[in-house]
Amino acid sequence: MATKASDRSASYQILLVLLLSLNFGIVFFDRNSLNFLMPFVKPELGLTNEQVGIFQSALSLTWALAAFGIGRLSDRTGNRKLLLVLATLIFSVCSFLTGIAQGFALLLGARLLMGAAEGGVMPISHAMVASEVSPERRGLAQGIAQNFGSNLLGSFVAPVLLVSFAAAYGWRNAFYLAGIPGLISAGLIWFLIREPAAPPPVADPAAAKESPWSVLRERNVLLCCAMSVIMVSYLVTCWVFMPLYLTEVRGYSPSTMQWLMGTLGISATIGSFAISGLSDRIGRRPVMIAMPFIGAILPLGAMFFTGSPWLLAGIFFIGWGLNGIFPLFMATVPSESVDLRRTATALGFCMGSGEVLGGVLAPWISGRMADATSLAAPLWIMLGLTLLAGFVAMGLRETAPRIVARRSAALREALA
């Protein structure tokens, strides 16, 4: 029987967050596997760069649709654990389907289905954390659930493990390997996690009838949606085309490429906490302005740095630190900019807009540009996106509680 968060022990809350973080990490492990293995897949299946981009666009499209649809279904039915387990099993099966694909069509179908399964995982996970974890620990818990596992497993372990395995045993066997952790995770969730409490009914009938689009009248929410589109475009373009650029243009071996890409995972894991923590101290706005400009060194370094791969890894580490602002524009700033009854709606717009527009369009456009010119085109696009994000962030209104309180106190003293 479902119970309230206050009835859950601290040990159970820790277990829940760790399992959800592990599960979402496996989601990104499977999502990114094709990108890291593309140097093996592309020549065997005779794919064009545009087709490479379409795979990511297709997954992003069904991911975004599922994020809205499955999240809403879990609210209505209350069967969150069951839906989460089913989604985990389905995206794991899709990894096996990717491994048996003999051409573009079957590979595309597997990615479409994988996106549909994976898209609902994070909304359900956030809902479970919100209802099961004590309010005083909820922010940290949601940060760990979304950022730690996904960056560690999806951006670090995936390239290091899968590329090595593919080089030794073939890329198809690497996809079979990638599907196994999800099956284990689904079993752990089924046996160790209890069904959370059903969501409470809407207390204010007038609030329930309010148009969800009204949150876009808040400037910060609108700008965070724009930031989401820009930065998700940057993210998926790097995932899809950086491994190909490093191997085909720069001439790095797959083993060197895997460690360079793995550096991104380490950077994102650290940045997800360090950058958000810095924003608590100095403000959200300056961090969100500075990090995209700093991130410009990553595509520039990939194209023009000719020194040691170890130094290039350092450039990758620093440049990819801009991932630390993702929780800020997807959750923190929007939630601090609207009243509580509209928080979920604001977060839905900020998360969904990035996946629908950035995740779907950017890989396809980058692929077409790469076919028309060269594989350097996606990296020039990445550079432009980082600069654009920095300028967009200049329009944000500061929301960090410590900074807002300090400014209010200073204003009161000036008027006294």
Side-chain angles (χ1 to χ4, degrees):
M1 182 178 67
T3 57
K4 296 180 180 179
S6 57
D7 298 327
R8 302 299 198 193
S9 66
S11 60
Y12 176 79
Q13 294 178 35
I14 293 172
L15 173 66
L16 172 71
V17 173
L18 290 178
L19 281 181
L20 293 178
S21 182
L22 170 67
N23 197 58
F24 198 56
I26 295 170
V27 165
F28 266 80
F29 186 91
D30 282 357
R31 174 174 180 166
N32 290 342
S33 59
L34 181 60
N35 300 326
F36 300 131
L37 295 173
M38 190 56 72
F40 301 94
V41 178
K42 182 184 175 184
E44 181 172 328
L45 298 185
L47 302 173
T48 66
N49 289 314
E50 182 177 3
Q51 288 175 323
V52 171
I54 287 174
F55 290 135
Q56 182 65 52
S57 297
L59 187 145
S60 294
L61 176 61
T62 53
W63 175 299
L65 296 176
F68 290 115
I70 296 179
R72 183 172 176 81
L73 179 63
S74 73
D75 283 340
R76 289 191 171 188
T77 64
N79 295 324
R80 289 184 173 134
K81 186 177 83 168
L82 176 61
L83 287 171
L84 184 61
V85 169
L86 288 176
T88 303
L89 290 173
I90 292 172
F91 76 67
S92 298
V93 170
C94 289
S95 186
F96 292 106
L97 293 177
T98 303
I100 66 173
Q102 298 297 320
F104 174 77
L106 181 55
L107 195 54
L108 178 62
R111 303 306 284 181
L112 285 167
L113 183 58
M114 179 177 282
E118 292 179 341
V121 170
M122 200 68 251
I124 295 175
S125 298
H126 271 315
M128 295 176 77
V129 171
S131 63
E132 298 294 273
V133 175
S134 301
E136 62 270 17
R137 293 189 291 268
R138 191 171 294 156
L140 176 62
Q142 288 182 322
I144 293 173
Q146 178 171 348
N147 295 323
F148 186 79
S150 61
N151 289 319
L152 184 62
L153 296 181
S155 298
F156 174 65
V157 176
V160 172
L161 175 62
L162 292 178
V163 173
S164 296
F165 196 86
Y169 302 104
W171 64 266
R172 295 184 186 277
N173 288 323
F175 280 113
Y176 303 149
L177 175 67
I180 295 174
L183 303 179
I184 298 173
S185 180
L188 291 174
I189 292 172
W190 181 257
F191 288 108
L192 297 180
I193 300 302
R194 286 163 278 179
E195 184 64 60
V202 178
D204 184 1
K209 296 179 180 179
E210 187 176 22
S211 170
W213 297 95
S214 63
V215 298
L216 297 179
R217 290 197 290 265
E218 165 57 50
R219 184 181 69 187
N220 270 8
V221 174
L222 191 60
L223 290 177
C224 284
C225 287
M227 288 282 291
S228 182
V229 173
I230 295 167
M231 295 311 302
V232 170
S233 297
Y234 174 93
L235 189 77
V236 297
T237 299
C238 184
W239 280 344
V240 174
F241 293 103
M242 187 63 76
L244 293 174
Y245 184 84
L246 293 174
T247 53
E248 295 185 15
V249 178
R250 293 300 307 270
Y252 290 114
S253 66
S255 60
T256 301
M257 178 273 289
Q258 75 184 50
W259 286 106
L260 287 172
M261 296 302 295
T263 301
L264 304 184
I266 299 174
S267 173
T269 302
I270 297 172
S272 295
F273 300 96
I275 301 303
S276 296
L278 181 63
S279 76
D280 285 334
R281 293 182 172 275
I282 69 173
R284 319 289 189 214
R285 185 173 178 271
V287 170
M288 292 176 69
I289 292 172
M291 291 311 300
F293 289 125
I294 294 174
I297 70 171
L298 193 155
L300 289 173
M303 287 189 287
F304 300 114
F305 182 77
T306 58
S308 166
W310 290 102
L311 293 178
L312 181 59
I315 293 173
F316 273 38
F317 180 88
I318 296 172
W320 201 247
L322 61 79
N323 270 255
I325 69 172
F326 271 68
L328 298 181
F329 61 72
M330 282 190 171
T332 307
V333 172
S335 65
E336 292 173 341
S337 301
V338 300
D339 58 75
L340 290 175
R341 65 184 174 84
R342 299 193 297 165
T343 298
T345 301
L347 268 59
F349 273 110
C350 293
M351 294 180 184
S353 59
E355 200 67 60
V356 171
L357 297 177
V360 173
L361 295 179
W364 172 66
I365 293 172
S366 297
R368 293 209 67 175
M369 293 295 294
D371 282 334
T373 56
S374 72
L375 272 171
L379 276 70
W380 284 111
I381 291 174
M382 288 174 58
L383 177 61
L385 289 169
T386 60
L387 300 179
L388 179 60
F391 287 115
V392 170
M394 292 179 182
L396 290 168
R397 172 175 54 85
E398 183 59 68
T399 62
R402 178 181 298 185
I403 305 303
V404 172
R406 185 186 305 162
R407 290 178 179 176
S408 297
L411 180 61
R412 286 194 298 270
E413 291 180 2
L415 295 176

Short mmCIF file of all heavy atoms in Angstrom, two decimals, residues 220 284-285 332-333 336-337 397-404:
data_model
loop_
_atom_site.label_atom_id
_atom_site.label_comp_id
_atom_site.label_asym_id
_atom_site.label_seq_id
_atom_site.Cartn_x
_atom_site.Cartn_y
_atom_site.Cartn_z
N ASN A 220 11.68 34.78 -17.25
CA ASN A 220 12.70 33.78 -16.95
C ASN A 220 12.34 32.41 -17.52
O ASN A 220 13.21 31.68 -17.99
CB ASN A 220 12.89 33.67 -15.43
CG ASN A 220 13.95 34.61 -14.92
OD1 ASN A 220 14.45 35.46 -15.65
ND2 ASN A 220 14.29 34.49 -13.65
N ARG A 284 22.57 32.83 -9.94
CA ARG A 284 22.32 31.99 -11.12
C ARG A 284 22.76 32.69 -12.41
O ARG A 284 23.39 32.09 -13.28
CB ARG A 284 20.81 31.68 -11.24
CG ARG A 284 20.08 31.36 -9.96
CD ARG A 284 20.46 30.03 -9.39
NE ARG A 284 19.60 29.67 -8.29
CZ ARG A 284 19.99 28.98 -7.22
NH1 ARG A 284 21.25 28.56 -7.12
NH2 ARG A 284 19.14 28.69 -6.26
N ARG A 285 22.44 33.97 -12.52
CA ARG A 285 22.66 34.69 -13.77
C ARG A 285 24.13 34.74 -14.19
O ARG A 285 24.44 34.41 -15.34
CB ARG A 285 22.07 36.10 -13.66
CG ARG A 285 22.13 36.92 -14.94
CD ARG A 285 21.38 38.24 -14.78
NE ARG A 285 21.47 39.04 -15.99
CZ ARG A 285 22.44 39.92 -16.24
NH1 ARG A 285 23.40 40.10 -15.33
NH2 ARG A 285 22.45 40.61 -17.36
N THR A 332 15.94 24.77 -11.66
CA THR A 332 16.10 25.70 -10.54
C THR A 332 15.53 27.08 -10.82
O THR A 332 14.69 27.58 -10.06
CB THR A 332 17.59 25.82 -10.18
OG1 THR A 332 18.14 24.52 -9.97
CG2 THR A 332 17.77 26.66 -8.93
N VAL A 333 15.98 27.71 -11.90
CA VAL A 333 15.50 29.07 -12.21
C VAL A 333 14.00 29.10 -12.51
O VAL A 333 13.29 29.96 -11.98
CB VAL A 333 16.32 29.68 -13.36
CG1 VAL A 333 15.72 31.01 -13.81
CG2 VAL A 333 17.77 29.89 -12.92
N GLU A 336 12.08 28.85 -9.29
CA GLU A 336 12.21 30.04 -8.45
C GLU A 336 11.52 31.26 -9.05
O GLU A 336 11.46 32.31 -8.42
CB GLU A 336 13.70 30.35 -8.23
CG GLU A 336 14.41 29.32 -7.38
CD GLU A 336 15.91 29.53 -7.31
OE1 GLU A 336 16.45 30.25 -8.19
OE2 GLU A 336 16.55 28.99 -6.38
N SER A 337 10.99 31.11 -10.27
CA SER A 337 10.42 32.26 -10.98
C SER A 337 8.89 32.25 -11.00
O SER A 337 8.29 33.26 -11.37
CB SER A 337 10.94 32.28 -12.42
OG SER A 337 12.35 32.37 -12.45
N ARG A 397 16.52 37.27 -15.06
CA ARG A 397 16.38 37.96 -13.78
C ARG A 397 16.94 37.05 -12.68
O ARG A 397 16.62 35.87 -12.64
CB ARG A 397 14.90 38.28 -13.52
CG ARG A 397 14.58 38.83 -12.14
CD ARG A 397 13.10 39.22 -12.06
NE ARG A 397 12.24 38.11 -12.45
CZ ARG A 397 11.84 37.14 -11.61
NH1 ARG A 397 12.26 37.13 -10.36
NH2 ARG A 397 11.02 36.19 -12.04
N GLU A 398 17.76 37.60 -11.79
CA GLU A 398 18.38 36.80 -10.74
C GLU A 398 17.33 36.23 -9.79
O GLU A 398 16.41 36.93 -9.37
CB GLU A 398 19.38 37.64 -9.95
CG GLU A 398 20.14 36.87 -8.87
CD GLU A 398 20.94 35.73 -9.48
OE1 GLU A 398 21.90 35.99 -10.22
OE2 GLU A 398 20.57 34.57 -9.19
N THR A 399 17.48 34.94 -9.45
CA THR A 399 16.50 34.28 -8.57
C THR A 399 17.14 33.60 -7.37
O THR A 399 16.40 33.10 -6.51
CB THR A 399 15.70 33.22 -9.36
OG1 THR A 399 16.59 32.21 -9.84
CG2 THR A 399 14.96 33.85 -10.53
N ALA A 400 18.46 33.52 -7.29
CA ALA A 400 19.09 32.82 -6.17
C ALA A 400 18.66 33.46 -4.86
O ALA A 400 18.84 34.68 -4.67
CB ALA A 400 20.61 32.87 -6.30
N PRO A 401 18.08 32.70 -3.92
CA PRO A 401 17.54 33.30 -2.68
C PRO A 401 18.55 34.13 -1.92
O PRO A 401 18.22 35.22 -1.43
CB PRO A 401 17.11 32.06 -1.87
CG PRO A 401 16.81 31.02 -2.90
CD PRO A 401 17.81 31.25 -3.99
N ARG A 402 19.79 33.65 -1.82
CA ARG A 402 20.80 34.40 -1.06
C ARG A 402 21.09 35.75 -1.72
O ARG A 402 21.20 36.78 -1.02
CB ARG A 402 22.09 33.58 -0.96
CG ARG A 402 23.21 34.29 -0.24
CD ARG A 402 24.47 33.45 -0.20
NE ARG A 402 24.27 32.21 0.52
CZ ARG A 402 25.23 31.34 0.78
NH1 ARG A 402 26.47 31.58 0.36
NH2 ARG A 402 24.97 30.23 1.43
N ILE A 403 21.19 35.77 -3.02
CA ILE A 403 21.51 37.02 -3.73
C ILE A 403 20.32 37.97 -3.70
O ILE A 403 20.48 39.18 -3.49
CB ILE A 403 21.91 36.72 -5.19
CG1 ILE A 403 23.07 35.72 -5.23
CG2 ILE A 403 22.28 38.00 -5.91
CD1 ILE A 403 24.30 36.15 -4.48
N VAL A 404 19.11 37.43 -3.90
CA VAL A 404 17.90 38.26 -3.86
C VAL A 404 17.74 38.89 -2.49
O VAL A 404 17.42 40.08 -2.36
CB VAL A 404 16.67 37.43 -4.24
CG1 VAL A 404 15.39 38.23 -4.01
CG2 VAL A 404 16.76 36.97 -5.69
#
